[in-house]
Amino acid sequence: MLEGKTAVVTGASRGIGRAIAQKLASQGASVVINYNGSEEKALETQQKIQENGGTASIYRCDVSDYGQCEKFIQDVILEYGRLDILVNNAGITKDGLLMKMSEEDFDRVIDINLKGAFNTIRFASRQMLKQRSGRIINMSSVSGVTGNAGQANYAASKAGLIGLTKAAARELASRGITVNAIAPGFIETDMTDALSDKVKEAATAQIPLGRFGKPEQVAAAAAFLASEEAGYITGQVLHVDGGMVM
Ligand code: NAP
């Protein structure tokens, strides 16, 4: 279904990004696994894809760094000659109450989660414009839709991603490029593993389906938005959250 297409997935060394990389590769895309710190995990993602007969390469790039992103995207285009799908999935949390939050923790979360997506879109969209087609998917969060106490930086970054998604969708629509966001709820990854049992219990109580989601369930939504069939959907936020936002 995605044969001949090149897909970049940021933050694909672990968690949701890894599941998306595996899903897109299983559909025939050549996948670029981006990571920043976890080289071994990125190699593991690549190995899993190759074991299933897929094609994948790994690229280190700190998405918060504009210059690194320019080189990253240029190198991908040199290697594959095209870029069809960009999934801005890389993200971090640095939680804390607003009044105690350091400037550094605010900036780092915004720089990776929000500016990181701007950086890659800035360079990837140039190639997609030439191709007159493309799919851009930004990983937002339920936090960016409803807000969440203790996550002022994270919620701001994820709400910002929704604005970025809609502005980019309007700018790029005339050239056949769609831009959408996914807003997951609580998904079982390292990010949510770090939460205390008490927080996990309180979170579960807010989920109509009564359980955390799996990375593969977010990957299925990403694969749909990346597909040809989703070509008439742009500027939308797809909630994959067990019913938290409805
Ligand atoms: P995770 O398991 O903590 O993985 C985060 C990924 O982001 C890793 O692959 C990490 O790569 C990468 N990353 C972090 N900083 C980076 C940087 N500066 N440059 C490039 N890559 C970087 O997180 P996850 O739970 O899979 O979350 C993935 C995305 O979904 C995030 O945007 C997150 O905010 C969003 N999300 C998650 C949940 C959830 O419940 N898990 C809910 C809503 C939204 P390295 O380790 O190689 O640095």
Side-chain angles (χ1 to χ4, degrees), residues 10 32-33 49 57 71-73 77-78 81 84 87 120 132 137 154 159-160 163 176-177 179 181 199 225 243:
T10 70
V32 174
I33 298 159
I49 288 174
S57 53
K71 183 166 182 338
F72 167 43
I73 299 296
I77 292 163
L78 271 180
D84 305 281
V87 184
T120 55
R132 301 189 77 83
I137 299 159
Y154 184 79
I177 302 165
V179 190
V199 172
L225 290 173

Side-chain angles (χ1 to χ4, degrees), residues 156-172:
S157 73
K158 295 299 182 179
L161 270 177
I162 294 175
L164 175 65
T165 297
K166 293 181 181 183
R170 288 185 187 277
E171 278 190 36
L172 301 172

